[in-house]
Amino acid sequence: MIYLDTDYMAGAHPEVMEALNRTNMFHTPGYGDDKFTRRTRSLILEACDLENGGCQFMVGGTQTNATVIDRLLSRNDGVLAADSSHINVHEAGAIEAWGHKILTLEHTEGKISASQIREYIENFYADDTFEHMVRPGMVYLSYPTEFGTIYSKEELSEIYKVCGDFNIPLYIDGARLAYGLNAKDNDLGLKEISRLCDVFYIGGTKCGTLFGEAIVTKNPELLPRFTSLMKLHGGLLAKGRLLGVQFEALFTDSLYDKIGKYGVDMALRLKDMLLEKGYRQFIDSPTNQQFFILPNPVIERIKKEVSFELWGAPGSDESKVRFVTSWSTPADTIDKLSSIF
Amino acid sequence: MIYLDTDYMAGAHPEVMEALNRTNMFHTPGYGDDKFTRRTRSLILEACDLENGGCQFMVGGTQTNATVIDRLLSRNDGVLAADSSHINVHEAGAIEAWGHKILTLEHTEGKISASQIREYIENFYADDTFEHMVRPGMVYLSYPTEFGTIYSKEELSEIYKVCGDFNIPLYIDGARLAYGLNAKDNDLGLKEISRLCDVFYIGGTKCGTLFGEAIVTKNPELLPRFTSLMKLHGGLLAKGRLLGVQFEALFTDSLYDKIGKYGVDMALRLKDMLLEKGYRQFIDSPTNQQFFILPNPVIERIKKEVSFELWGAPGSDESKVRFVTSWSTPADTIDKLSSIF
Amino acid sequence: MIYLDTDYMAGAHPEVMEALNRTNMFHTPGYGDDKFTRRTRSLILEACDLENGGCQFMVGGTQTNATVIDRLLSRNDGVLAADSSHINVHEAGAIEAWGHKILTLEHTEGKISASQIREYIENFYADDTFEHMVRPGMVYLSYPTEFGTIYSKEELSEIYKVCGDFNIPLYIDGARLAYGLNAKDNDLGLKEISRLCDVFYIGGTKCGTLFGEAIVTKNPELLPRFTSLMKLHGGLLAKGRLLGVQFEALFTDSLYDKIGKYGVDMALRLKDMLLEKGYRQFIDSPTNQQFFILPNPVIERIKKEVSFELWGAPGSDESKVRFVTSWSTPADTIDKLSSIF
Amino acid sequence: MIYLDTDYMAGAHPEVMEALNRTNMFHTPGYGDDKFTRRTRSLILEACDLENGGCQFMVGGTQTNATVIDRLLSRNDGVLAADSSHINVHEAGAIEAWGHKILTLEHTEGKISASQIREYIENFYADDTFEHMVRPGMVYLSYPTEFGTIYSKEELSEIYKVCGDFNIPLYIDGARLAYGLNAKDNDLGLKEISRLCDVFYIGGTKCGTLFGEAIVTKNPELLPRFTSLMKLHGGLLAKGRLLGVQFEALFTDSLYDKIGKYGVDMALRLKDMLLEKGYRQFIDSPTNQQFFILPNPVIERIKKEVSFELWGAPGSDESKVRFVTSWSTPADTIDKLSSIF
């Protein structure tokens, strides 16, 4: 069976696993106050060119989004986000559960624009009844988006400028960051992203670890008393060093980049193969998620040998599907797929 | 000055005020456990043909919506509502503050349809990832809507049928119920509304009282331990009898209907007058809110003598405006207006 | 029947009612943005000697406590309060419903002390695991307390000093403030209280209005975007002027003081009468609540003519009772009572 | 250095780690819907004699407590628990963050009794103002307690009977369950515990896994839509099989019992050694936590070679300390310690 459902179907990258095995019997203090985690914080902040920044670790993406957004917003603030965003669609209401409204903007291939954000905020303040409405208190982006697309440096710079104009923070969900940084035609590096937002997270779960996300901020004062808040959110891992150890492996010998590059290469080879065979995309993604429209008989035929997700409800003749590659996609996958299609 | 901004600019209808004065020095237990409130509960339930139903009183609409919705939903449920609905736009995030996502449907003149609701719920259960999404746990309507429009008996029956099919409650926000019940061409009476939903409230604040809304349900088991919940929501009035006394006045000698009829008559006279003078509506409302498009110079001229609200941002040549009448609109208002326009 | 159950059994003081009647048919903007409310804000701030302070109005005490505390605390902060405090015992969990833990201190006749507060906070910061504990983020007092007792100027000054030392706000619940300010041997005036805390509220519901509490702060920056927060909490009254009009009456011709003085005088006369007849107090209160221990046969006999509350579960021979007077206690009450006992 | 600070200082038991390594490169669906997790659920339910029961996995204890309690309680319910309980003291307010008050009972060596629970609930319903108070909606126990003590079968049976009498669920926090089940003089097996409560969790983090807790209930209807709720709480692990794989190891060849037995044996040897040397306990614990009072000079001397926690603030001459053993305590620890003391 070939697995292309999601990017979190295998365990950890062997080098990450090796680090966990190597350190397994050590005794260290809990909750992230250990030498591994401290060392990894420095490693990450250095890679981000944020020596005076802050770095915290949590277990999963929804937890991270809920905790960071909860910290950045006041009680009577909402978060601006694409209507297609993960927080709006696929987090079971975790943001609202903490009391915050998601103020949605219509997405274009998963993205929102600086002008949409500006218009929303200007309209808000222009409305006589704004005190009866939820104030836009921050902006949430995903990079890459839920549709595999990425923002350009220019687009991100413009968005960050709008946030600055209205003095609200910009937060980037980097669940698949490795695949974005290594996307075709990407012009944003880790250092640029670090500079062009207030808080973001470096995804581990989908990019090589068993679990874990590294939250990075240029300004630690934006996330005060964050350990206590993680505890309150049920997201402070007892054996916190597991996060430090895994991310240390990711940031050693450019493993994070290798993972991203490999996943994207597999995805682009898959895309080329399918295009060559005459199948149509419904979104052209430069990252590890690929979106195609397939005739239903093709779907029926291949799904005996390939595992993948329908994207939304099936159509009568053809349906939308998503294929996801990752660091764990076996090297011969595309060749095998080519013979199946 | 002629006031047409909203329907809550004056105090209480003189008969309501008279009832408050008459009972002012009596001593009674607090929190709604008094003879006035008990008597009024019976009066209202009788008028609704719900002798075995339940009736509770709260002070204001946002409070009522937040408390009822909070009681009807489980932690991981959301409420289906029009994107234009009061709870989605003008309650400062009060529903989300209690943890519930509003699942929005695109409105048509403020209304949503049975087929929209059905489609949303069917798509939800058809989605493989539905456990990661917010379950639609109830439906919220306003009657009349925020655009002054009303549902017909057929429309409401269909919506209630969909709710029944999926076993979720239907809740109707009746902030302006008096004006809906007395709308032109309305075919829904209080008894039909009582039958065609699970919970609704009879608006007092906009329909003759100083404040107060009467929550009615055919099935008291839907609102268990509601007094305690109102207290927790900060909405249990200490001198609860004030609500009973005011609503007793509303439901004596058909005052509630007289109020609704008067407000609507004024609104329709205003509409006829404006149409006659050649002004255009952007929504044709049969109730006490009227929506027109006026040339900006006209707006500038009349606003020295008439107070009203722009509806959204002003246009370059003409702008949308809303005029609201009520029981407190002076009888000579339309004649005066006619000479101003 | 003589009613001594609570201090909110009647409607409004006749002068308050007269003000509501006089202004009833005026048309004004809603939500507290009207001339009456603006004028009353100035009146109150002047009386408090806080010309640069802030003043906001809400409908009831639980709502006020929940909203103010929610504004003063960060997500991961709790409020220090007496275990006997209203917020801890009788608000149905309204504070926790907004996510905040109440950190309880053992009360002495309803009061807590500066040294208790200091010890709690010092222990918190001395604990190695403090990040896993709820940080004490503010202090809540009631004045008078739920047991009718009051703080002296020295006691309050010491408490406020501790708050200052740890840079956390002090909030005073003044539901029965009129009766505290006019208590026997009280050495705190409205101006001192205004100076010796960060936020407090002047109770209306129990002190002469139909409903309403006036929130006062020396520093409006402590309560930013408060109108929006009141809306989110379901506590922004549509016809906001009703609060302004009522409090204007209270602060005209010293009505608030007259109300307090009358209620206390009645209570002290009641106390003297009962002591003279040989009954025992279980708390010696200088305000409008009086706490006695009565033989059960006496209770049985008088309750045909007097309405009052048992304080906790009844005893086998004698039981604790509470008598509450107010501005609405008829002048001949004590004489009548004397003949009954 | 000898580490006796806590029971979560090492990674996973080697057999657990081996299972993770063996399955690392498999591809499986996420979120617990995989064959490992399904198999482990059966294994655990069989061990609990609850073939028709339910079993769910979460990452950590605070998260588990917050999610289970949130599911078991209605909005206006609180949880009865010892004042010394983990949820009340060391979860940073996670229970209150979800809106629920903790109703505290005074502990005796970490335990609460059936009669305390009964008295609290009876007093609640006997109070005339109970609608203004938080209803006790469930009971929380920890087994072993935060002081290492355990309940006897008789004590637990009595508590469960009280819960049954009032129709509220009993939930047991089993963070250290392995050490309780293998405690000296324990008369409760896994099957008895499964029978004598409604929901409990089998602790993994402190008992051999990298992380993870297994929630078990005899009645799955008590935890409806729990996957969705875990997601909303930020506690649904993407690579859910990691939990299944680890717990499968724990429940294979009695590893869970071996872990518990080893940890307790080490603790009891430590206790005997210290008693023999003349040191005093402040609590006599039969499990893996030991509580002693040591002279301050002894503390100063040994802490160069032993890592452990002070219990509360230090005293002037002697101080309270806690020593914690686990499956990872090296076999020669007690001998080494004996030569140090």
Side-chain angles (χ1 to χ4, degrees), chain C residues 2 8-9 17 32-33 79 135 168 174 196 208 217 227 241 246 252 271 281 284 313 340:
Chain C
I2 298 171
Y8 45 84
M9 302 191 79
M17 210 61 202
D33 187 25
V79 49
R135 183 173 79 164
I168 60 175
L196 291 174
T217 178
T227 299
R241 80 167 188 231
Q246 291 183 90
T252 299
K271 172 164 77 172
Q281 295 173 289
D284 184 10
I340 293 166

Side-chain angles (χ1 to χ4, degrees), chain B residues 47-293:
Chain B
C48 295
D49 215 2
L50 292 177
E51 275 75 5
N52 298 315
C55 176
Q56 301 270 3
F57 299 95
M58 296 192 83
V59 168
T62 294
Q63 185 180 87
T64 299
N65 287 335
T67 310
V68 169
I69 289 171
D70 191 36
R71 182 82 301 173
L72 293 177
L73 293 183
S74 173
R75 167 74 75 189
N76 49 345
D77 279 338
V79 50
L80 281 165
D83 51 6
S84 58
S85 62
H86 202 259
I87 57 169
N88 194 46
V89 181
H90 277 120
E91 301 196 349
I95 305 304
E96 293 88 356
W98 290 93
H100 302 296
K101 192 178 186 69
I102 301 174
L103 307 165
T104 54
L105 301 172
E106 196 180 349
H107 78 99
T108 303
E109 298 196 339
K111 292 162 66 178
I112 53 175
S113 71
S115 60
Q116 280 179 297
I117 296 167
R118 183 178 297 279
E119 188 189 1
Y120 189 99
I121 301 177
E122 286 179 350
N123 282 347
F124 173 80
Y125 285 110
D127 196 310
D128 278 350
T129 63
F130 77 90
E131 284 184 316
H132 295 213
M133 296 159 68
V134 177
R135 183 173 81 164
M138 64 177 285
V139 173
Y140 164 98
L141 296 184
S142 47
Y143 177 91
T145 70
E146 294 72 13
F147 287 94
T149 52
I150 56 173
Y151 291 86
S152 69
K153 193 192 292 190
E154 188 182 348
E155 288 169 335
L156 188 59
S157 300
E158 284 172 357
I159 288 173
Y160 195 42
K161 184 177 179 326
V162 175
C163 292
D165 288 351
F166 292 102
N167 198 24
I168 60 175
L170 173 61
Y171 166 59
I172 298 177
D173 177 335
R176 294 185 169 98
L177 188 63
Y179 305 113
L181 292 174
N182 291 281
K184 216 181 137 211
D185 299 330
N186 169 46
D187 64 355
L188 280 167
L190 189 56
K191 288 177 169 53
E192 275 86 30
I193 287 178
S194 304
R195 192 170 48 80
L196 292 173
C197 72
D198 295 289
V199 184
F200 72 106
Y201 81 82
I202 300 171
T205 302
K206 292 175 177 165
C207 308
T209 60
L210 289 177
F211 56 87
E213 325 293 334
I215 302 162
V216 176
T217 179
K218 59 170 68 159
N219 178 9
E221 288 177 18
L222 288 173
L223 304 177
R225 299 167 60 220
F226 202 73
T227 300
S228 164
L229 191 73
M230 290 194 289
K231 184 71 181 168
L232 177 145
H233 270 257
L236 184 62
L237 189 65
K239 301 183 183 177
R241 80 165 188 232
L242 301 176
L243 295 160
V245 164
Q246 291 183 90
F247 271 90
E248 186 173 24
L250 287 189
F251 278 80
T252 299
D253 293 336
S254 304
L255 178 59
Y256 198 64
D257 271 331
K258 288 176 195 162
I259 280 171
K261 195 164 168 13
Y262 180 86
V264 171
D265 285 350
M266 297 299 281
L268 298 188
R269 285 179 55 201
L270 187 155
K271 170 163 80 172
D272 291 345
M273 183 270 286
L274 288 174
L275 289 175
E276 218 162 274
K277 288 184 187 280
Y279 296 110
R280 279 161 30 239
Q281 295 173 289
F282 65 93
I283 281 180
D284 185 11
S285 153
T287 62
N288 73 317
Q289 300 184 87
Q290 294 297 321
F291 301 87
F292 274 81
I293 299 170

Side-chain angles (χ1 to χ4, degrees), chain A residues 75-76 87-93 96-102 127 129 131-134 309, chain B residues 75-76 87-93 96-102 127 129 131-134 309:
Chain A
R75 167 74 76 191
N76 49 344
I87 56 169
N88 193 45
V89 181
H90 277 121
E91 301 196 349
E96 292 87 355
W98 290 94
H100 302 296
K101 191 178 187 71
I102 301 174
D127 196 310
T129 63
E131 285 185 315
H132 294 213
M133 296 161 69
V134 176
E309 282 185 6
Chain B
R75 167 74 75 189
N76 49 345
I87 57 169
N88 194 46
V89 181
H90 277 120
E91 301 196 349
E96 293 88 356
W98 290 93
H100 302 296
K101 192 178 186 69
I102 301 174
D127 196 310
T129 63
E131 284 184 316
H132 295 213
M133 296 159 68
V134 177
E309 282 186 6

Side-chain angles (χ1 to χ4, degrees), chain A residues 50 75 190 197 241 266 279 288 308 324:
Chain A
L50 291 178
R75 167 74 76 191
L190 190 55
C197 72
R241 78 164 188 234
M266 296 300 280
Y279 297 110
N288 74 318
F308 58 95
V324 189

Side-chain angles (χ1 to χ4, degrees), chain C residues 48 50 53-54 68 72 138-143 151 153 155-161 163-164 168-174 177 188-202 214-220 222:
Chain C
C48 295
L50 292 178
V68 169
L72 293 177
M138 65 177 287
V139 173
Y140 163 99
L141 297 184
S142 47
Y143 178 91
Y151 291 87
K153 194 192 291 190
E155 288 169 333
L156 187 59
S157 301
E158 284 172 358
I159 288 174
Y160 196 42
K161 183 175 180 326
C163 292
I168 60 175
L170 173 61
Y171 166 59
I172 297 177
D173 177 335
L177 189 63
L188 280 167
L190 190 56
K191 289 177 169 53
E192 275 86 32
I193 286 179
S194 303
R195 191 168 49 79
L196 291 174
C197 72
D198 295 288
V199 185
F200 71 106
Y201 81 82
I202 300 172
I215 302 162
V216 176
T217 178
K218 59 171 68 159
N219 178 8
L222 287 173

Side-chain angles (χ1 to χ4, degrees), chain C residues 99-111:
Chain C
H100 302 296
K101 192 178 186 71
I102 301 173
L103 307 165
T104 53
L105 302 173
E106 197 181 348
H107 78 99
T108 303
E109 299 197 338
K111 292 162 65 177

Side-chain angles (χ1 to χ4, degrees), chain C residues 28-71:
Chain C
T28 57
Y31 306 113
D33 187 25
D34 63 89
K35 64 179 175 182
F36 300 102
T37 306
R38 278 196 296 271
R39 207 160 64 193
T40 306
R41 276 197 195 98
S42 302
L43 209 56
I44 288 178
L45 290 174
E46 195 182 339
C48 295
D49 214 2
L50 292 178
E51 276 74 5
N52 299 316
C55 176
Q56 302 270 3
F57 299 95
M58 296 193 83
V59 168
T62 294
Q63 186 180 86
T64 299
N65 288 335
T67 309
V68 169
I69 289 171
D70 192 36
R71 182 81 304 171

